[in-house]
């Protein structure tokens, strides 16, 4: 079968690497892809917001299956449009993708189904939001309702920060995404990313990973899309995963079905593991980035039948096998990210870095220029490694990073610190 992947980040490179290894694939395409994905797939310069162009390409190349990476095409209804054209695609339809596209929608589902999450209220004007904030006190969390490319959440430690966030969002700082705002309780605990495949009715849990959202070591600085990840996660014991499944994910899948918009695809629950158990921070309607990079390294089974089973409502008796080894990925970003950064700087010595045992480098914002690899985005590389422990995987990833010559890039040096502290028995 010919498969098309939509997207061009580290998540899509990891998916392409895993999908390309499936014996079910004849030709793998990726739009738009990047310099690393070009090793696994034929990259095509399609605008993934142009659904008609994607459908035309699928027909021309006899694409049997489309795997959608990022959230924007999902919330824009790409899966529905492909289905109408008779093309099978992995991911939720437009109505089901509201679990990511509207925070208020998700919070209301939680309330109606007793799903543990932070207490909240929804607001459409600044004055009532500020009155609520004044009553609740700080710390408190302010979230734009819509998609805001990772910039829509402000964890305010003071009332002044909270009120500034309200003014920024209602002042149009995030465009339409901030026209409605959710204000919610600050949750304390350790975060984990939990993934399940859903076919609308059944859920097949994948494994958990832990992301590192803040840009600097010690979890300091502004939030980013994610600066590194690892798996397995000690707090996500089988018992904790069962609670997350029974108390959070399955009630959501049942609610979506009852509302007439069954959720198919990967459901990514961002969890806070509090002293009372798992609470939902947010849902994403897609694989995590950079979590997918470690998920794919740990997945032993062929991924393609699982993705197809999610579309075909065949997950009920499905099983996936995983490697016991740990995996860890470190994001290398252009200096200045998540603010302004330069593009077009050259990255050298990737070949030497990839020769280190257990290392796999997934590209995010890169492009090839003849034989040179140039940075072409904020998050640029995911230097990833397997190891018998998180500590070993981390040592291998940083040994590879130390071989890469890219003066205009940077990375955190402490990815996996929570696991390594535990492994050392501290
Ligand atoms: P989100 O974009 O919803 O994943 O939020 C970004 C980050 O903000 C999360 O990964 C958390 O670190 C933090 N965050 C979001 N909601 C809360 C909350 N209710 N309590 C504490 N931290 C939160
Ligand atoms: N790493 C978090 C995300 O993909 O949203």
């Amino acid at each position: 079968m010919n498969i098309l992947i939509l997207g061009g980040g580290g998540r899509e490179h990891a998916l392409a690497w895993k999908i390309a290894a499936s014996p079910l694939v004849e030709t793998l395409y990726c739009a738009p892809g990047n310099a690393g994905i070009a090793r696994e797939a034929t990259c095509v310069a399609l605008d993934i917001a142009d659904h008609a162009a994607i459908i035309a390409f699928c027909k021309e190349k006899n694409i049997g299956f489309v795997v959608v990476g990022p959230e924007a095409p999902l919330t824009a209804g790409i899966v529905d449009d492909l289905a109408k054209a008779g093309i099978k695609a992995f991911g939720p339809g437009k109505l089901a993708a509201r679990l990511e596209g509207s925070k208020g929608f998700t919070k209301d589902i939680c309330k109606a189904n007793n799903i543990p999450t932070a207490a909240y209220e929804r607001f459409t004007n600044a004055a009532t939001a500020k009155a609520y904030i004044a009553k609740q006190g700080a710390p408190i969390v302010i979230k734009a309702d819509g998609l805001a490319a990772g910039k829509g959440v402000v964890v305010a430690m003071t009332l002044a920060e909270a009120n500034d966030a309200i003014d920024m969002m209602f002042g149009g700082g995030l465009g339409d995404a901030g026209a409605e705002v959710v204000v919610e309780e600050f949750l304390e605990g350790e975060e984990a990313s939990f993934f399940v495949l859903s076919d609308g009715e059944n859920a097949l849990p994948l494994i958990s990973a832990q992301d590192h959202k803040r840009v600097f070591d010690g979890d300091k600085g502004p939030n980013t899309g994610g600066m590194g990840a690892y798996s397995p996660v000690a707090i996500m014991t089988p018992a904790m995963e069962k609670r997350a499944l029974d108390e959070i994910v399955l009630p959501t899948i049942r609610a979506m079905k009852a509302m007439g918009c069954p959720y198919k695809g990967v459901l990514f629950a961002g969890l806070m593991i509090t002293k009372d158990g798992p609470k939902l921070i947010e849902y994403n309607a897609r694989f995590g980035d950079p979590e997918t990079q470690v998920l794919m390294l740990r997945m032993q089974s062929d991924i393609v039948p699982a993705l197809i089973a999610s579309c075909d409502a065949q997950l009920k008796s499905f099983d996936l096998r995983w490697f016991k080894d740990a995996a860890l990925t470190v994001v290398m970003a252009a200096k200045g990210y998540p603010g302004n950064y330069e593009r077009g700087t050259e990255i050298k010595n990737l070949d030497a870095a990839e020769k280190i045992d257990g290392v796999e480098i997934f590209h995010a914002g890169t492009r090839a220029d003849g034989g040179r690899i140039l940075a072409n985005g904020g998050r640029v590389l995911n230097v990833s490694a397997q190891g018998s422990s998180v500590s070993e995987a981390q040592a291998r990833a940083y040994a590879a990073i130390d071989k890469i010559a890219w003066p205009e890039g940077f990375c955190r040096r402490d990815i996996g610190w929570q696991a390594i502290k535990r492994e050392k028995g501290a």
Side-chain angles (χ1 to χ4, degrees):
M1 159 194 301
N2 296 332
I3 297 184
L4 169 67
I5 299 174
L6 300 183
R11 163 185 50 214
E12 287 78 19
H13 189 184
L15 287 168
W17 175 82
K18 187 68 189 161
I19 290 171
S22 169
L24 298 172
V25 180
E26 282 169 51
T27 306
L28 181 61
Y29 296 92
C30 185
N34 62 37
I37 294 175
R39 296 195 304 229
E40 330 286 347
T42 303
C43 293
V44 280
L46 281 176
D47 174 4
I48 64 173
D50 184 347
H51 297 191
I54 293 169
I55 290 167
F57 178 83
C58 290
K59 293 199 164 149
E60 183 196 323
K61 300 291 184 190
N62 192 25
I63 301 290
F65 192 49
V66 178
V67 179
V68 185
E71 62 276 18
L74 294 169
T75 53
I78 185 76
V79 171
D80 313 82
D81 290 346
L82 285 165
K84 274 185 223 137
I87 302 158
K88 194 178 287 204
F90 174 77
K94 184 175 183 158
L95 292 178
R98 281 179 296 174
L99 281 179
E100 172 160 8
S102 167
K103 298 207 185 284
F105 173 81
T106 297
K107 296 298 286 191
D108 288 352
I109 286 192
C110 290
K111 192 181 267 179
N113 295 278
N114 289 319
I115 294 171
T117 187
Y120 74 103
E121 290 291 337
R122 301 173 72 166
F123 297 97
T124 50
N125 74 72
T128 50
K130 286 183 180 175
Y132 177 76
I133 289 168
K135 206 167 82 202
Q136 299 297 315
I140 193 158
V141 182
I142 320 296
K143 300 187 172 184
D145 182 75
L147 291 182
K151 300 194 176 77
V153 175
V154 176
V155 180
M157 300 316 286
T158 64
L159 286 179
E161 275 176 72
N163 288 330
D164 286 352
I166 291 291
D167 287 336
M168 180 272 286
M169 289 180 196
F170 284 121
L174 299 173
D176 287 349
E180 186 178 331
V181 163
V182 171
V183 178
E184 69 176 35
E185 172 199 4
F186 173 79
L187 296 174
E188 267 181 280
E190 192 170 328
E191 280 183 60
S193 305
F194 179 54
F195 299 87
V196 302
L197 288 181
S198 169
D199 64 5
E201 198 164 343
N202 308 289
L204 173 66
L206 307 180
I207 49 173
S208 307
Q210 200 158 44
D211 190 10
H212 299 63
K213 296 260 179 202
R214 304 288 181 138
V215 70
F216 299 128
D217 285 18
D219 296 328
K220 300 270 170 25
N223 264 328
T224 68
M227 294 301 290
Y230 70 90
S231 174
V233 183
I235 38 163
M236 290 306 284
T237 56
M240 191 63 77
E241 288 195 349
K242 186 170 186 318
R243 283 191 67 179
L245 194 63
D246 292 345
E247 296 171 25
I248 297 175
V249 172
L250 287 173
T252 305
I253 290 173
R254 283 195 291 269
M256 295 300 284
K257 186 173 175 229
M259 287 169 71
C261 46
Y263 188 93
K264 292 185 175 191
V266 60
L267 186 58
F268 163 2
L271 302 177
M272 187 71 85
I273 308 303
T274 70
K275 60 176 178 23
D276 303 322
K279 292 196 179 182
L280 182 72
I281 297 176
E282 62 159 0
Y283 275 130
N284 294 307
R286 49 165 176 87
F287 280 106
D289 190 348
E291 290 93 329
T292 304
Q293 288 78 315
V294 293
L295 255 57
M296 293 304 113
L297 284 174
R298 294 197 62 213
M299 190 184 282
Q300 188 171 7
S301 307
D302 186 349
I303 190 174
V304 173
L307 301 180
I308 292 176
S310 153
C311 293
D312 290 349
Q314 294 295 326
L315 279 178
K316 193 164 185 190
S317 48
F318 214 89
D319 201 11
L320 282 170
R321 294 167 66 92
W322 300 90
F323 291 117
K324 283 221 162 40
D325 271 4
L328 179 138
T329 187
V330 180
V331 170
M332 294 189 80
K335 280 183 184 161
Y337 173 80
N340 295 330
Y341 52 82
E342 204 185 332
R343 287 175 200 258
T345 56
E346 187 176 356
I347 305 163
K348 292 185 182 152
N349 292 353
L350 287 171
D351 289 348
E354 245 168 344
K355 286 207 179 81
I356 293 175
D357 211 22
V359 166
E360 201 63 53
I361 299 178
F362 297 118
H363 290 219
T366 65
R367 76 183 167 85
D369 175 35
R372 301 189 310 153
I373 300 290
L374 305 182
N376 192 36
R379 293 191 293 172
V380 172
L381 294 170
N382 303 263
V383 182
S384 316
Q386 290 159 305
S388 57
S389 60
V390 177
S391 307
E392 186 179 49
Q394 191 209 48
R396 288 171 165 178
Y398 284 120
I401 283 173
D402 291 339
K403 294 223 180 284
I404 295 172
W406 181 34
E408 296 84 2
F410 77 101
C411 66
R412 278 181 62 162
R413 300 294 313 193
D414 65 345
I415 299 303
W417 67 268
Q418 280 161 311
I420 289 164
K421 198 166 114 188
R422 285 192 176 98
E423 284 176 1
K424 285 192 177 133

